[in-house]
Amino acid sequence: MLKRIEELALNAWPALQTLTHHGWLLRFADGYTKRSNSINALYTDPSTDLDAQIHECERLYVKAGLDVVFKITPFNPQELDRMLDSRGYSILDPTSLRVLDHLDHLELPTHKEVKIEERLTDEWLSVLTEITGISEKYKAVKRKLFNYSVIQYGFFILYDRGQPVACGIGAIEQGVVGIFDLATAPACRNRGFGKQLLLHILHWAKKNGAASSYLQVVQNNVAANRLYDRLQYREIYSYWYRHKRIEGYKQRP
């Protein structure tokens, strides 16, 4: 089950290009998010030369003009994290992957001002930009990522008296809905809008055949973790990123 959720999360948050190198997934998206620009060592043959694998990953990411980022999950070779640490890779964004085991008995949202679109719209992207400050370059990348994906999405905007206050994405695959880009405008936080938006996404997903849910939340996001605790999302594993900026590539001797 754990690896299945990891696979669903990778599918739901796509990349512009994915290379498979001896079972490792190398994802590239012009630098927009670590999720879409990292190495995922999901499938590793025990005979694999890890040092050679790491070196080749570094070469490819430097060639792409990107920092080298590895996603460290329970599915990696046990020694990978230690090897990256010894090479000077820093730890970024320890994250909790949480699941909601069923969508039965969900409370109904009480805030009714919501818009749901099946495709990424200019309006939704504008709201996300207003809330998070995403750059024009990354807006263009995001549009490419989600417009060409075959996953079933719902793009949500929550309004309060006609003004957008929160946005988010639901991504349904194999009867499971992933929650992404859940964001509330800074001036509107601590007023329950995040919970109302999440309830709208979950009820939409249930109507579209989903029976469970997952999400990813940075461990030090106290407010978000408190909300997910109240809605009975439970952690099934944690992950983090290993990051290094390499200015130039030297051929392996």
Side-chain angles (χ1 to χ4, degrees):
M1 173 190 173
L2 302 188
K3 187 173 284 190
R4 172 176 175 251
I5 294 294
E6 183 68 18
E7 290 173 345
L8 294 178
L10 289 169
N11 291 343
W13 194 271
L16 295 178
Q17 183 178 19
T18 299
L19 301 182
T20 304
H21 186 71
H22 297 296
W24 291 14
L25 306 180
L26 283 59
R27 289 156 56 88
F28 302 86
D30 288 346
Y32 176 59
T33 76
K34 291 182 289 297
R35 290 178 190 164
S36 293
N37 294 272
S38 55
I39 299 110
N40 297 261
L42 278 182
Y43 313 100
T44 305
D45 188 308
S47 65
T48 296
D49 182 339
L50 292 182
D51 186 68
Q53 279 275 81
I54 292 169
H55 198 80
E56 179 63 7
C57 290
E58 291 176 340
R59 184 187 72 81
L60 291 169
Y61 278 78
V62 170
K63 181 179 179 182
L66 298 172
D67 292 355
V68 188
V69 180
F70 286 80
K71 186 178 181 183
I72 304 300
T73 70
F75 320 112
N76 301 155
Q78 290 186 353
E79 58 270 48
L80 178 60
D81 192 50
R82 176 188 56 78
M83 292 176 70
L84 294 173
D85 183 65
S86 70
R87 286 164 165 76
Y89 281 77
S90 59
I91 292 178
L92 294 179
D93 297 342
T95 298
S96 173
L97 196 145
R98 292 175 166 234
V99 298
L100 183 62
D101 294 306
H102 56 78
L103 303 185
D104 299 327
H105 313 301
L106 286 171
E107 58 181 290
L108 292 170
T110 57
H111 197 95
K112 303 301 184 183
E113 277 187 87
V114 66
K115 179 182 285 188
I116 308 168
E117 300 284 358
E118 294 183 355
R119 295 187 63 83
L120 191 154
T121 64
D122 289 340
E123 181 184 13
W124 188 92
L125 202 50
S126 294
V127 172
L128 180 72
T129 301
E130 191 68 27
I131 293 174
T132 66
I134 182 175
S135 70
E136 289 298 321
K137 172 187 174 182
Y138 289 152
K139 280 171 64 176
V141 175
K142 191 175 191 74
R143 194 185 300 277
K144 288 181 184 177
L145 293 179
F146 286 89
N147 279 349
Y148 293 103
S149 174
V150 297
I151 301 297
Q152 181 181 5
Y153 292 110
F155 294 90
F156 291 73
I157 302 174
L158 191 75
Y159 298 85
D160 184 47
R161 289 171 290 184
Q163 296 300 312
V165 294
C167 66
I169 301 173
I172 300 175
E173 186 184 3
Q174 299 179 33
V176 186
V177 61
I179 309 298
F180 297 91
D181 270 350
L182 200 68
T184 303
C188 301
R189 290 171 186 165
N190 301 311
R191 293 169 58 185
F193 291 130
K195 178 182 178 181
Q196 291 299 307
L197 179 60
L198 182 52
L199 288 173
H200 276 292
I201 297 174
L202 293 175
H203 277 281
W204 164 83
K206 186 177 179 181
K207 290 178 182 177
N208 282 274
S212 60
S213 176
Y214 69 89
L215 52 79
Q216 299 154 103
V217 56
V218 177
Q219 291 176 354
N220 64 7
N221 188 336
V222 176
N225 279 287
R226 189 182 302 123
L227 168 61
Y228 303 143
D229 284 340
R230 289 199 300 266
L231 291 174
Q232 300 184 359
Y233 277 89
R234 62 182 180 88
E235 180 177 293
I236 57 171
Y237 61 89
S238 61
Y239 67 86
W240 55 92
Y241 294 95
R242 284 285 187 175
H243 166 269
K244 188 175 182 181
R245 177 166 295 173
I246 301 176
E247 299 299 336
Y249 172 75
K250 294 182 179 179
Q251 287 290 341
R252 185 182 173 86

